[in-house]
Amino acid sequence: MCSFRIGDWEVSLSKDSKPRELMIELTTECNLNCIHCFRNSMRESFGRMTRDIMERILSEIEITGVKAVSLSGWGEPSCHPDFLWFIKELKTRGVKVLLNTNGTLLSKFAEDLVKLGVDEIVVSVDAVEPEIYKKIRRGSILSECIGGIKALYDAKRRYVSTKPLVGVQFTINTMNFDQIYKLALFANHLGVGLIYISNIIPVSREHEKLACYSNQRCVEEVLKQIDKLAKELLSFWNIYVVKSYLDPMQSFYCPFIESDALFIRWDGKVAPCMHYSHDWKFVLNGIERNIKKVIFGDIKTQSLIDIWRNPDYVQFRFRAKFGYKPSCLDCELQEWCSYTLSNESDCYGNSPTCAHCPYARGLVSCPLLSGLGLFW
């Protein structure tokens, strides 16, 4: 069993330690080209998971007893030709399934998803007016997304099913902030039970001009819109809203760490989270940060338990949960600090570092939504 020493303290991993939740990236391919997508700065080729890797994951799930899987990542899960088969196999094993989707193919798959018993589906809806939606989610039209959500609602009614719980993800930017208060009516009309409000993660300095948190007028208007939304929600007791902050928190909270979760890429490589699963870059406060993928194993050649108990991975999780970390996103020295330019290390000696993770600092809603404890 893995153990290590920190000063006068000896730390060891418990004998029953294992991952309890997985985020699985079926593909990095997508049928849209959204203006705020991370794929625009991704420095890797796109790909999709093979059936062999899927079967290997299913076998490992049986061995470890994983009970929850989020189908998400850097692509659109429903674009994978075997995604319904994979969900069926997960549900056959008693696994709870969350699907994050852009919603464009929901009409095609709605009945199957209800019949399979998918537990939660979160649909990205960044505007409730067609023209704004089309500008943000390039390659789609709002009616497609609405049609998919309606198809889910109709299928649930036909099969007298409470599943899936349907949520919408709304990513704020300077083009859509005046849409926020309309979300309650939109959600209530379509039978949506959850609303997640988040910020964009800019992938260039030019792209950061769209970020609401960098525009004072947008921040002020968003606060007003949130207030309007809250008043609308007084009429709808069954809609729950979760929102990100407009300024980074100094406190650190990682849903992957708190949920004992890990991320499996389309090629079988295992990362600690979605944020560190690929090589890419993002920009916050005008500072470009280069993210280098953090890989602790490969499901094609290693067991899930062996990867989870990899000493380097164990120490990474321990530092992320209990270690001291600087708060890079609101540090007055960030403009001149070389550490903050990548995730390789920080001024406290953490390597790799999570110190400027926008998810853990509350700026962005993590796709591992189960970390909120609302559903699982």
Side-chain angles (χ1 to χ4, degrees), residues 146 149-150 153 183-192 236 239:
I146 291 176
I149 296 174
K150 285 183 175 178
Y153 184 82
L183 277 172
L185 294 174
F186 177 87
N188 186 63
H189 177 68
L190 294 176
V192 169
F236 312 128
I239 299 178

Side-chain angles (χ1 to χ4, degrees), residues 73-104:
W74 288 58
E76 170 53 43
S78 63
C79 284
H80 195 291
D82 291 330
F83 108 103
L84 282 179
W85 170 84
F86 191 56
I87 290 174
K88 179 182 178 181
E89 294 299 315
L90 289 171
K91 295 306 298 180
T92 298
R93 290 161 174 78
V95 176
K96 293 181 178 179
V97 176
L98 162 68
L99 171 64
N100 279 292
T101 176
N102 60 34
T104 55

Side-chain angles (χ1 to χ4, degrees), residues 31-103:
N31 58 340
L32 300 185
N33 183 27
C34 302
I35 61 173
H36 53 260
C37 184
F38 308 152
R39 295 165 76 253
N40 295 327
S41 75
M42 192 174 176
R43 297 194 291 268
E44 301 174 23
S45 58
F46 300 145
R48 63 175 62 163
M49 189 173 284
T50 65
R51 180 72 75 98
D52 287 345
I53 295 177
M54 290 176 161
E55 290 176 343
R56 171 77 175 176
I57 292 171
L58 291 168
S59 176
E60 288 297 316
I61 283 174
E62 289 183 344
I63 293 170
T64 58
V66 166
K67 294 300 182 184
V69 166
S70 300
L71 297 179
S72 190
W74 288 58
E76 170 53 43
S78 63
C79 284
H80 195 291
D82 291 330
F83 108 103
L84 282 179
W85 170 84
F86 191 56
I87 290 174
K88 179 182 178 181
E89 294 299 315
L90 289 171
K91 295 306 298 180
T92 298
R93 290 161 174 78
V95 176
K96 293 181 178 179
V97 176
L98 162 68
L99 171 64
N100 279 292
T101 176
N102 60 34

